[in-house]
Amino acid sequence: MCEIECFGNYHRKCEHYVKMYESGNKTDCGSPSCALSQAHKHRPGPGQRTCTCVRIPRECRRVLSLIHDRCDACTRAAWATLERESSRVW
């Protein structure tokens, strides 16, 4: 599977990686069964008109910042749970 390089922040408390941007660097896997590769061989299956090869690249993740707190989505979910359980609006 081909790779694209992306940069983002890693949040240690929730162990989530939040992608910020892609660098544009792509690595070709050279596989004939990968639709994004230069070596792709278009082989539709029997009775199919479209190619069933994988079209999603794998992310090569680079960490810009190591953050010792939860990501924004996990923080919002935690506050929503707290509001639901306590019936208070913070």
Coordinates of all heavy atoms in Angstrom, one line a residue:
M1 N 0.8 -1.2 0.0 CA 0.0 0.0 0.0 C 0.9 1.2 0.0 O 1.9 1.3 0.8 CB -0.9 0.0 1.2 CG -1.9 1.1 1.3 SD -2.9 1.1 2.7 CE -3.9 -0.3 2.4
C2 N 0.6 2.2 -0.8 CA 1.4 3.4 -0.9 C 1.2 4.3 0.3 O 0.2 4.1 1.0 CB 0.9 4.2 -2.1 SG 1.3 3.4 -3.7
E3 N 2.2 5.1 0.6 CA 2.2 5.9 1.8 C 2.3 7.4 1.4 O 2.9 7.8 0.4 CB 3.5 5.6 2.7 CG 3.5 4.3 3.3 CD 4.7 4.2 4.3 OE1 5.6 5.0 4.2 OE2 4.6 3.2 5.1
I4 N 1.6 8.2 2.3 CA 1.7 9.7 2.2 C 2.2 10.1 3.5 O 1.9 9.6 4.6 CB 0.4 10.4 1.8 CG1 -0.7 10.0 2.8 CG2 0.0 10.0 0.4 CD1 -2.0 10.8 2.7
E5 N 3.1 11.1 3.5 CA 3.6 11.7 4.8 C 2.7 12.8 5.3 O 2.3 13.7 4.6 CB 5.0 12.2 4.5 CG 5.7 12.7 5.7 CD 7.1 13.3 5.4 OE1 7.2 14.0 4.4 OE2 8.0 13.0 6.2
C6 N 2.4 12.7 6.6 CA 1.5 13.7 7.2 C 2.1 14.1 8.6 O 2.8 13.3 9.2 CB 0.1 13.2 7.3 SG -0.2 11.8 8.3
F7 N 1.8 15.3 9.0 CA 2.3 15.8 10.2 C 1.1 16.1 11.2 O 0.1 16.6 10.7 CB 3.1 17.1 10.0 CG 4.4 16.8 9.3 CD1 4.5 16.8 7.9 CD2 5.6 16.5 10.0 CE1 5.7 16.5 7.2 CE2 6.8 16.2 9.4 CZ 6.8 16.2 8.0
G8 N 1.3 15.9 12.5 CA 0.3 16.2 13.4 C 0.7 16.2 14.8 O 1.9 16.0 15.1
N9 N -0.2 16.3 15.7 CA 0.1 16.3 17.2 C -0.4 15.0 17.8 O -1.4 14.5 17.4 CB -0.6 17.5 17.9 CG -0.2 18.8 17.4 OD1 1.0 19.0 17.0 ND2 -1.1 19.8 17.4
Y10 N 0.4 14.5 18.8 CA 0.0 13.3 19.5 C -0.3 13.7 20.9 O 0.4 14.3 21.6 CB 1.2 12.3 19.5 CG 0.9 11.0 20.2 CD1 0.1 10.1 19.6 CD2 1.3 10.7 21.5 CE1 -0.2 8.9 20.2 CE2 1.0 9.5 22.1 CZ 0.2 8.6 21.4 OH -0.1 7.4 22.1
H11 N -1.5 13.2 21.3 CA -2.1 13.6 22.7 C -1.9 12.3 23.5 O -2.5 11.3 23.3 CB -3.5 14.0 22.6 CG -3.7 15.2 21.8 ND1 -3.8 16.4 22.4 CD2 -3.9 15.4 20.4 CE1 -4.0 17.3 21.4 NE2 -4.0 16.7 20.3
R12 N -1.1 12.5 24.6 CA -0.7 11.3 25.4 C -1.9 10.8 26.3 O -2.0 9.6 26.5 CB 0.4 11.6 26.3 CG 1.7 11.7 25.5 CD 2.9 11.8 26.4 NE 3.0 10.6 27.2 CZ 4.1 10.3 27.9 NH1 5.1 11.0 27.8 NH2 4.1 9.2 28.6
K13 N -2.7 11.7 26.8 CA -3.8 11.2 27.7 C -4.8 10.3 27.0 O -5.3 9.3 27.6 CB -4.5 12.4 28.4 CG -3.8 12.8 29.7 CD -4.7 13.6 30.5 CE -4.0 14.0 31.8 NZ -4.8 14.9 32.6
C14 N -5.2 10.6 25.8 CA -6.2 9.8 25.1 C -5.5 9.0 24.0 O -6.2 8.2 23.4 CB -7.3 10.7 24.5 SG -6.7 12.0 23.3
E15 N -4.2 9.2 23.8 CA -3.5 8.4 22.8 C -4.0 8.6 21.4 O -4.0 7.6 20.6 CB -3.4 6.9 23.2 CG -2.7 6.7 24.5 CD -2.5 5.2 24.8 OE1 -3.0 4.4 24.1 OE2 -1.9 4.9 25.9
H16 N -4.4 9.8 21.1 CA -4.9 10.1 19.7 C -3.9 10.9 18.9 O -3.2 11.8 19.5 CB -6.2 10.9 19.8 CG -7.4 10.1 20.1 ND1 -8.5 10.6 20.7 CD2 -7.6 8.8 20.0 CE1 -9.4 9.6 20.9 NE2 -8.9 8.5 20.5
Y17 N -3.8 10.7 17.7 CA -3.0 11.4 16.7 C -3.9 12.3 15.9 O -4.9 11.8 15.3 CB -2.2 10.5 15.8 CG -1.4 11.2 14.8 CD1 -0.1 11.6 15.1 CD2 -1.9 11.4 13.5 CE1 0.7 12.3 14.1 CE2 -1.1 12.0 12.5 CZ 0.1 12.5 12.9 OH 0.9 13.1 11.9
V18 N -3.7 13.6 16.0 CA -4.5 14.6 15.3 C -3.7 15.1 14.1 O -2.8 15.9 14.3 CB -5.0 15.7 16.2 CG1 -5.9 16.7 15.4 CG2 -5.8 15.1 17.4
K19 N -4.1 14.8 12.9 CA -3.4 15.2 11.7 C -3.6 16.7 11.4 O -4.8 17.2 11.4 CB -3.9 14.4 10.5 CG -3.1 14.7 9.2 CD -3.3 13.7 8.1 CE -4.6 13.8 7.4 NZ -4.7 13.0 6.2
M20 N -2.5 17.4 11.2 CA -2.6 18.8 10.9 C -2.5 19.1 9.4 O -3.3 19.9 8.9 CB -1.4 19.6 11.6 CG -1.4 19.3 13.1 SD -2.9 19.9 14.0 CE -2.6 21.6 14.0
Y21 N -1.5 18.5 8.7 CA -1.4 18.7 7.3 C -0.6 17.6 6.7 O 0.1 16.8 7.4 CB -0.7 20.0 7.0 CG 0.7 20.2 7.5 CD1 1.8 19.8 6.7 CD2 0.9 20.6 8.8 CE1 3.1 20.0 7.1 CE2 2.2 20.8 9.2 CZ 3.3 20.4 8.4 OH 4.6 20.6 8.9
E22 N -0.6 17.5 5.3 CA 0.1 16.5 4.6 C 1.3 17.2 3.9 O 1.1 18.3 3.4 CB -0.7 15.8 3.5 CG -1.8 15.0 4.1 CD -2.7 14.3 3.1 OE1 -2.5 14.6 1.9 OE2 -3.7 13.6 3.5
S23 N 2.4 16.6 3.8 CA 3.6 17.3 3.2 C 3.6 17.2 1.7 O 4.2 18.0 1.0 CB 4.9 16.6 3.7 OG 5.0 15.3 3.3
G24 N 2.9 16.2 1.1 CA 2.9 16.0 -0.3 C 3.9 15.0 -0.7 O 3.9 14.6 -1.9
N25 N 4.7 14.5 0.2 CA 5.6 13.4 -0.2 C 4.9 12.1 -0.2 O 4.2 11.7 0.7 CB 6.8 13.3 0.9 CG 7.6 14.5 0.9 OD1 7.7 15.2 -0.1 ND2 8.3 14.8 2.0
K26 N 5.1 11.4 -1.3 CA 4.4 10.1 -1.5 C 5.4 9.0 -1.7 O 6.4 9.2 -2.5 CB 3.4 10.1 -2.6 CG 2.3 11.1 -2.4 CD 1.4 11.2 -3.6 CE 0.3 12.2 -3.3 NZ -0.6 12.4 -4.5
T27 N 5.2 7.8 -1.2 CA 6.1 6.7 -1.4 C 5.3 5.6 -2.1 O 4.3 5.2 -1.7 CB 6.6 6.1 -0.1 OG1 7.2 7.2 0.7 CG2 7.6 5.0 -0.3
D28 N 5.9 5.2 -3.3 CA 5.2 4.2 -4.1 C 5.6 2.8 -3.6 O 6.7 2.5 -3.4 CB 5.7 4.3 -5.6 CG 4.8 3.5 -6.5 OD1 4.1 2.7 -6.1 OD2 4.9 3.8 -7.7
C29 N 4.6 2.0 -3.4 CA 4.8 0.6 -2.9 C 5.3 -0.4 -4.0 O 5.8 -1.4 -3.7 CB 3.6 0.1 -2.1 SG 2.2 -0.1 -3.2
G30 N 5.0 0.0 -5.2 CA 5.4 -0.9 -6.3 C 4.5 -2.2 -6.4 O 4.9 -3.1 -7.1
S31 N 3.4 -2.2 -5.8 CA 2.5 -3.4 -5.8 C 1.6 -3.3 -7.0 O 0.9 -2.3 -7.2 CB 1.7 -3.5 -4.5 OG 0.8 -4.5 -4.6
P32 N 1.4 -4.4 -7.7 CA 0.4 -4.4 -8.8 C -1.0 -4.4 -8.4 O -1.9 -4.1 -9.1 CB 0.7 -5.7 -9.6 CG 1.5 -6.6 -8.7 CD 2.2 -5.7 -7.7
S33 N -1.3 -4.7 -7.1 CA -2.7 -4.7 -6.6 C -3.0 -3.4 -5.9 O -4.1 -3.3 -5.3 CB -2.9 -5.9 -5.6 OG -2.0 -5.8 -4.5
C34 N -2.2 -2.4 -5.9 CA -2.5 -1.1 -5.3 C -2.8 -0.1 -6.4 O -2.0 0.1 -7.4 CB -1.2 -0.6 -4.5 SG -1.5 1.0 -3.8
A35 N -4.0 0.5 -6.4 CA -4.5 1.3 -7.4 C -3.7 2.6 -7.5 O -3.7 3.3 -8.6 CB -6.0 1.6 -7.2
L36 N -3.0 3.0 -6.5 CA -2.2 4.3 -6.4 C -0.8 4.1 -6.9 O -0.1 5.1 -7.1 CB -2.3 4.9 -5.0 CG -3.6 5.1 -4.4 CD1 -3.5 5.6 -3.0 CD2 -4.3 6.2 -5.3
S37 N -0.4 2.9 -7.1 CA 1.0 2.6 -7.5 C 1.2 2.8 -9.0 O 0.3 2.6 -9.8 CB 1.4 1.2 -7.1 OG 2.7 0.9 -7.5
Q38 N 2.5 3.1 -9.4 CA 2.8 3.2 -10.8 C 2.9 1.8 -11.4 O 2.7 1.7 -12.6 CB 4.2 3.9 -10.9 CG 4.2 5.3 -10.5 CD 3.5 6.2 -11.5 OE1 3.4 5.9 -12.7 NE2 2.9 7.3 -11.0
A39 N 3.0 0.8 -10.6 CA 3.1 -0.6 -11.1 C 1.7 -1.3 -11.1 O 1.6 -2.5 -11.3 CB 4.1 -1.4 -10.2
H40 N 0.7 -0.5 -11.0 CA -0.7 -1.1 -10.9 C -1.1 -1.8 -12.2 O -0.9 -1.3 -13.3 CB -1.7 0.0 -10.6 CG -3.1 -0.4 -10.5 ND1 -4.1 0.0 -11.4 CD2 -3.7 -1.3 -9.7 CE1 -5.2 -0.6 -11.1 NE2 -5.0 -1.4 -10.1
K41 N -1.6 -3.0 -12.1 CA -2.1 -3.8 -13.2 C -3.6 -3.8 -13.0 O -4.1 -4.4 -12.1 CB -1.5 -5.2 -13.2 CG -0.1 -5.3 -13.3 CD 0.4 -4.9 -14.6 CE 1.9 -5.1 -14.7 NZ 2.6 -4.3 -15.6
H42 N -4.3 -3.2 -14.0 CA -5.8 -3.1 -13.9 C -6.4 -4.5 -14.2 O -6.4 -4.9 -15.4 CB -6.3 -2.0 -14.8 CG -7.7 -1.8 -14.7 ND1 -8.3 -1.2 -13.6 CD2 -8.8 -2.1 -15.5 CE1 -9.6 -1.2 -13.7 NE2 -9.9 -1.7 -14.9
R43 N -6.8 -5.2 -13.2 CA -7.4 -6.5 -13.4 C -8.7 -6.6 -12.7 O -8.8 -6.9 -11.5 CB -6.5 -7.6 -12.8 CG -5.2 -7.8 -13.6 CD -4.4 -8.8 -12.9 NE -3.8 -8.1 -11.8 CZ -3.1 -8.7 -10.8 NH1 -2.9 -10.0 -10.9 NH2 -2.7 -8.1 -9.8
P44 N -9.8 -6.2 -13.4 CA -11.1 -6.4 -12.7 C -11.4 -7.9 -12.6 O -11.0 -8.7 -13.3 CB -12.1 -5.7 -13.7 CG -11.4 -5.6 -15.0 CD -9.9 -5.6 -14.7
G45 N -12.2 -8.1 -11.5 CA -12.6 -9.5 -11.2 C -13.6 -10.0 -12.3 O -14.1 -9.3 -13.1
P46 N -13.9 -11.3 -12.2 CA -14.9 -11.9 -13.1 C -16.3 -11.2 -13.0 O -16.8 -11.2 -11.9 CB -14.9 -13.4 -12.8 CG -14.4 -13.4 -11.4 CD -13.5 -12.3 -11.2
G47 N -16.8 -10.8 -14.0 CA -18.2 -10.1 -14.0 C -18.2 -8.7 -13.5 O -19.2 -8.1 -13.3
Q48 N -17.0 -8.1 -13.3 CA -16.9 -6.7 -12.7 C -16.3 -5.8 -13.8 O -15.4 -6.2 -14.5 CB -16.1 -6.7 -11.5 CG -16.6 -7.5 -10.3 CD -15.7 -7.4 -9.1 OE1 -14.5 -7.1 -9.3 NE2 -16.2 -7.7 -8.0
R49 N -16.8 -4.6 -13.8 CA -16.3 -3.6 -14.8 C -15.3 -2.7 -14.1 O -14.6 -2.0 -14.8 CB -17.5 -2.8 -15.3 CG -18.4 -3.7 -16.2 CD -19.5 -2.8 -16.7 NE -19.8 -3.3 -18.1 CZ -20.4 -2.6 -19.0 NH1 -20.8 -1.4 -18.8 NH2 -20.6 -3.2 -20.2
T50 N -15.4 -2.6 -12.8 CA -14.5 -1.7 -12.1 C -13.4 -2.4 -11.4 O -13.5 -3.6 -11.0 CB -15.2 -0.8 -11.1 OG1 -15.9 -1.7 -10.2 CG2 -16.3 0.0 -11.8
C51 N -12.3 -1.8 -11.2 CA -11.1 -2.4 -10.5 C -11.4 -2.4 -9.0 O -11.9 -1.4 -8.4 CB -9.9 -1.5 -10.7 SG -8.4 -2.1 -10.0
T52 N -11.1 -3.5 -8.3 CA -11.3 -3.7 -6.9 C -10.1 -3.5 -6.1 O -10.1 -3.8 -4.9 CB -11.9 -5.0 -6.6 OG1 -11.0 -6.0 -7.1 CG2 -13.3 -5.2 -7.3
C53 N -9.0 -2.9 -6.6 CA -7.8 -2.7 -5.9 C -7.9 -1.6 -4.9 O -8.8 -0.7 -5.0 CB -6.7 -2.3 -6.9 SG -6.3 -3.6 -8.0
V54 N -7.1 -1.6 -3.9 CA -7.1 -0.6 -2.8 C -6.7 0.8 -3.3 O -5.8 0.9 -4.0 CB -6.1 -1.1 -1.7 CG1 -6.1 -0.1 -0.6 CG2 -6.5 -2.4 -1.1
R55 N -7.5 1.8 -2.9 CA -7.3 3.1 -3.4 C -7.0 4.1 -2.2 O -6.9 5.3 -2.4 CB -8.5 3.7 -4.1 CG -8.8 2.9 -5.4 CD -10.0 3.6 -6.1 NE -10.4 2.8 -7.2 CZ -9.8 2.9 -8.4 NH1 -8.8 3.7 -8.6 NH2 -10.2 2.1 -9.4
I56 N -6.8 3.6 -1.0 CA -6.6 4.4 0.1 C -5.1 4.3 0.5 O -4.6 3.2 0.8 CB -7.5 4.0 1.3 CG1 -8.9 4.1 0.9 CG2 -7.2 4.9 2.6 CD1 -9.9 3.6 1.9
P57 N -4.4 5.4 0.6 CA -3.0 5.3 1.0 C -2.8 5.2 2.5 O -3.7 5.6 3.2 CB -2.4 6.7 0.5 CG -3.5 7.6 0.5 CD -4.8 6.8 0.2
R58 N -1.7 4.6 2.9 CA -1.4 4.5 4.3 C -0.7 5.8 4.7 O 0.1 6.4 4.0 CB -0.5 3.3 4.6 CG -0.2 3.1 6.0 CD 0.5 1.8 6.2 NE 1.8 1.9 5.6 CZ 2.5 0.8 5.3 NH1 2.1 -0.4 5.6 NH2 3.7 1.0 4.7
E59 N -1.0 6.3 5.9 CA -0.4 7.5 6.4 C 0.9 7.2 7.1 O 1.0 6.4 8.0 CB -1.3 8.3 7.4 CG -2.5 8.8 6.8 CD -3.4 9.5 7.8 OE1 -3.2 9.3 9.0 OE2 -4.3 10.3 7.3
C60 N 2.0 7.9 6.7 CA 3.3 7.8 7.4 C 3.2 9.0 8.4 O 3.5 10.2 8.0 CB 4.4 7.9 6.5 SG 6.0 7.9 7.2
R61 N 2.9 8.8 9.7 CA 2.7 9.8 10.6 C 4.0 10.4 11.3 O 4.8 9.6 11.8 CB 1.7 9.3 11.7 CG 0.4 9.0 11.2 CD -0.5 8.4 12.3 NE -1.9 8.3 11.8 CZ -2.8 7.8 12.6 NH1 -2.6 7.4 13.8 NH2 -4.0 7.7 12.1
R62 N 4.1 11.7 11.2 CA 5.2 12.4 11.9 C 4.6 13.3 13.0 O 3.7 14.0 12.7 CB 6.0 13.3 10.9 CG 6.4 12.5 9.6 CD 7.7 11.8 9.9 NE 8.2 11.2 8.7 CZ 8.7 10.0 8.6 NH1 8.6 9.2 9.6 NH2 9.1 9.5 7.4
V63 N 5.2 13.2 14.1 CA 4.7 13.9 15.3 C 5.4 15.3 15.4 O 6.6 15.4 15.4 CB 4.9 13.2 16.6 CG1 4.5 14.0 17.8 CG2 4.1 11.8 16.5
L64 N 4.6 16.4 15.4 CA 5.1 17.7 15.5 C 5.2 18.1 17.0 O 6.3 18.6 17.4 CB 4.2 18.7 14.8 CG 4.1 18.7 13.3 CD1 3.0 19.7 12.9 CD2 5.4 19.1 12.8
S65 N 4.2 17.8 17.8 CA 4.2 18.1 19.2 C 3.6 17.0 20.0 O 2.6 16.3 19.6 CB 3.3 19.4 19.5 OG 3.8 20.5 18.8
L66 N 4.2 16.7 21.1 CA 3.7 15.7 22.0 C 3.0 16.5 23.1 O 3.6 17.2 23.9 CB 4.9 14.9 22.6 CG 4.5 13.8 23.5 CD1 3.7 12.7 22.8 CD2 5.8 13.1 24.1
I67 N 1.7 16.3 23.2 CA 0.8 17.1 24.1 C 0.4 16.2 25.2 O -0.1 15.1 25.0 CB -0.4 17.7 23.3 CG1 0.2 18.6 22.2 CG2 -1.3 18.4 24.3 CD1 -0.9 19.1 21.3
H68 N 0.6 16.6 26.4 CA 0.3 15.8 27.6 C -1.2 15.9 28.1 O -1.4 15.7 29.3 CB 1.2 16.1 28.7 CG 2.7 15.8 28.4 ND1 3.2 14.6 28.5 CD2 3.6 16.6 27.9 CE1 4.4 14.6 28.1 NE2 4.7 15.8 27.8
D69 N -2.1 16.3 27.2 CA -3.5 16.5 27.6 C -4.3 15.8 26.5 O -3.8 15.3 25.6 CB -3.8 18.0 27.6 CG -5.0 18.2 28.5 OD1 -5.6 17.3 29.1 OD2 -5.4 19.4 28.6
R70 N -5.6 15.7 26.8 CA -6.5 15.1 25.8 C -6.7 16.0 24.6 O -6.6 17.2 24.6 CB -7.9 14.9 26.4 CG -7.9 13.8 27.5 CD -9.3 13.6 28.0 NE -9.3 12.6 29.0 CZ -9.1 12.8 30.3 NH1 -8.9 14.0 30.8 NH2 -9.2 11.8 31.2
C71 N -7.1 15.4 23.4 CA -7.4 16.1 22.2 C -8.8 16.9 22.4 O -9.5 16.6 23.4 CB -7.5 15.2 21.0 SG -8.8 14.0 21.0
D72 N -9.1 17.8 21.5 CA -10.3 18.6 21.7 C -11.6 17.7 21.7 O -12.5 17.9 22.4 CB -10.4 19.6 20.6 CG -9.3 20.7 20.8 OD1 -8.8 20.9 21.9 OD2 -9.0 21.4 19.8
A73 N -11.6 16.7 20.8 CA -12.8 15.8 20.7 C -13.0 15.1 22.0 O -14.1 14.9 22.4 CB -12.6 14.9 19.5
C74 N -11.9 14.6 22.6 CA -12.1 13.8 23.8 C -12.5 14.7 25.0 O -13.2 14.3 25.9 CB -10.8 13.1 24.2 SG -10.5 11.7 23.1
T75 N -12.0 16.0 25.0 CA -12.3 16.9 26.0 C -13.8 17.3 25.9 O -14.5 17.3 27.0 CB -11.4 18.2 25.9 OG1 -10.1 17.8 26.0 CG2 -11.8 19.2 27.0
R76 N -14.3 17.5 24.7 CA -15.7 17.8 24.5 C -16.6 16.6 25.0 O -17.6 16.8 25.6 CB -16.0 18.2 23.1 CG -15.7 19.6 22.7 CD -16.3 20.0 21.4 NE -15.7 19.2 20.3 CZ -14.6 19.4 19.6 NH1 -13.9 20.5 19.9 NH2 -14.2 18.7 18.6
A77 N -16.2 15.4 24.6 CA -16.9 14.2 25.0 C -16.9 14.1 26.5 O -18.0 13.7 27.1 CB -16.3 13.0 24.4
A78 N -15.8 14.4 27.2 CA -15.8 14.3 28.7 C -16.7 15.3 29.3 O -17.4 15.0 30.3 CB -14.3 14.5 29.2
W79 N -16.7 16.5 28.8 CA -17.6 17.6 29.3 C -19.1 17.2 29.1 O -19.9 17.4 29.9 CB -17.3 18.9 28.8 CG -16.2 19.6 29.4 CD1 -14.9 19.8 29.0 CD2 -16.2 20.1 30.8 NE1 -14.1 20.4 29.9 CE2 -14.9 20.7 31.0 CE3 -17.1 20.3 31.8 CZ2 -14.5 21.3 32.2 CZ3 -16.8 20.9 33.0 CH2 -15.5 21.4 33.2
A80 N -19.4 16.6 27.9 CA -20.8 16.2 27.6 C -21.2 15.1 28.6 O -22.4 15.1 29.0 CB -20.9 15.8 26.2
T81 N -20.3 14.2 28.9 CA -20.7 13.1 29.8 C -20.9 13.7 31.2 O -21.9 13.3 31.9 CB -19.5 12.1 29.8 OG1 -19.3 11.6 28.5 CG2 -19.9 10.9 30.8
L82 N -20.1 14.6 31.6 CA -20.2 15.2 32.9 C -21.5 16.0 33.0 O -22.2 15.9 34.0 CB -19.0 16.2 33.2 CG -19.0 16.9 34.5 CD1 -18.8 15.8 35.6 CD2 -17.9 17.9 34.6
E83 N -21.9 16.7 32.0 CA -23.2 17.5 32.0 C -24.4 16.5 32.0 O -25.3 16.8 32.7 CB -23.3 18.4 30.7 CG -22.3 19.6 30.8 CD -22.3 20.3 29.5 OE1 -23.1 19.9 28.5 OE2 -21.6 21.3 29.4
R84 N -24.3 15.4 31.3 CA -25.4 14.5 31.2 C -25.5 13.8 32.6 O -26.7 13.6 33.0 CB -25.0 13.4 30.2 CG -26.2 12.8 29.5 CD -25.9 11.9 28.3 NE -24.6 11.2 28.3 CZ -23.6 11.4 27.5 NH1 -23.7 12.4 26.6 NH2 -22.5 10.8 27.6
E85 N -24.4 13.4 33.2 CA -24.5 12.7 34.5 C -25.0 13.6 35.7 O -25.7 13.2 36.6 CB -23.2 12.0 34.8 CG -22.9 10.9 33.9 CD -21.5 10.3 34.2 OE1 -20.8 10.9 35.0 OE2 -21.2 9.3 33.5
S86 N -24.6 14.9 35.6 CA -24.8 15.8 36.8 C -26.1 16.6 36.5 O -26.5 17.3 37.4 CB -23.6 16.6 37.1 OG -23.4 17.5 36.0
S87 N -26.6 16.7 35.3 CA -27.7 17.5 34.9 C -27.4 19.0 35.1 O -28.3 19.8 35.3 CB -29.0 17.1 35.7 OG -29.3 15.8 35.5
R88 N -26.1 19.4 35.1 CA -25.7 20.8 35.1 C -25.1 21.2 33.8 O -24.5 20.4 33.1 CB -24.7 21.0 36.2 CG -25.3 21.0 37.6 CD -24.2 21.2 38.6 NE -23.7 22.6 38.5 CZ -22.7 23.0 39.3 NH1 -22.2 22.3 40.2 NH2 -22.3 24.3 39.2
V89 N -25.2 22.4 33.5 CA -24.6 23.0 32.3 C -23.5 23.8 32.8 O -23.7 24.8 33.5 CB -25.6 23.8 31.4 CG1 -24.9 24.4 30.2 CG2 -26.8 22.9 31.0
W90 N -22.3 23.5 32.4 CA -21.1 24.2 32.8 C -20.8 25.4 31.9 O -20.9 25.4 30.8 CB -19.9 23.3 32.8 CG -20.0 22.2 33.8 CD1 -20.6 21.0 33.5 CD2 -19.7 22.2 35.2 NE1 -20.6 20.2 34.7 CE2 -20.1 20.9 35.7 CE3 -19.2 23.1 36.0 CZ2 -19.9 20.6 37.0 CZ3 -19.0 22.8 37.3 CH2 -19.3 21.5 37.8

